[in-house]
Amino acid sequence: MELIEQLETNTVLNRAFELIDIVANITTRNKNADTYLIKPHLSQISRSSGSIAANISEVHNFLSHKFKYSKLSISLSECRETIIHNKVLYKMGIITEAEYHGQ
């Protein structure tokens, strides 16, 4: 299925919302983490994962291909950022292997 078809059927958006749920569980579970090494990653992964869904949602509201490309480019950048923080949290033992793989 091509990206446009996935966007039209909300497949990508649904996965973005699933990611938000996973991140919310991770941050809730670790909300009392005192370490200065963990909090910045939890905070950033919350922001970047939310931005993915927000930007993909906006793609549905506009017809301009230039605008859609812009929003999808931002989403891709936020995905990369989320992946980096996800990997750090996994290596630190903060998230499980299933969470690391988005399950």
Side-chain angles (χ1 to χ4, degrees):
M1 185 180 289
E2 289 188 37
L3 180 59
I4 299 300
E5 290 175 21
Q6 290 178 8
L7 288 171
E8 289 172 355
T9 60
N10 291 324
T11 303
V12 174
L13 186 57
N14 288 338
R15 289 292 292 162
F17 284 125
E18 289 173 15
L19 176 62
I20 290 172
D21 288 340
I22 291 169
V23 170
N25 288 334
I26 293 167
T27 54
T28 299
R29 191 176 65 235
N30 293 283
K31 68 181 175 184
N32 294 324
D34 290 330
T35 178
Y36 64 93
L37 293 173
I38 298 171
K39 281 186 178 182
H41 296 290
L42 290 173
S43 176
Q44 190 55 46
I45 201 171
S46 294
R47 289 193 305 271
S48 60
S49 63
S51 181
I52 296 166
N55 282 293
I56 292 172
S57 292
E58 287 194 27
V59 168
H60 294 282
N61 299 327
F62 295 92
L63 298 175
S64 163
H65 289 295
K66 185 176 180 180
F67 183 84
K68 288 181 181 184
Y69 179 80
S70 171
K71 290 297 179 182
L72 290 174
S73 294
I74 293 168
S75 290
L76 180 58
S77 176
E78 296 294 342
C79 283
R80 289 182 180 131
E81 187 172 341
T82 301
I83 289 168
I84 290 167
H85 292 285
N86 190 34
K87 190 171 205 167
V88 170
L89 291 169
Y90 176 67
K91 296 287 185 182
M92 294 172 80
I94 303 302
I95 63 175
T96 66
E97 187 170 352
E99 290 168 330
Y100 178 70
H101 293 291
Q103 303 169 347

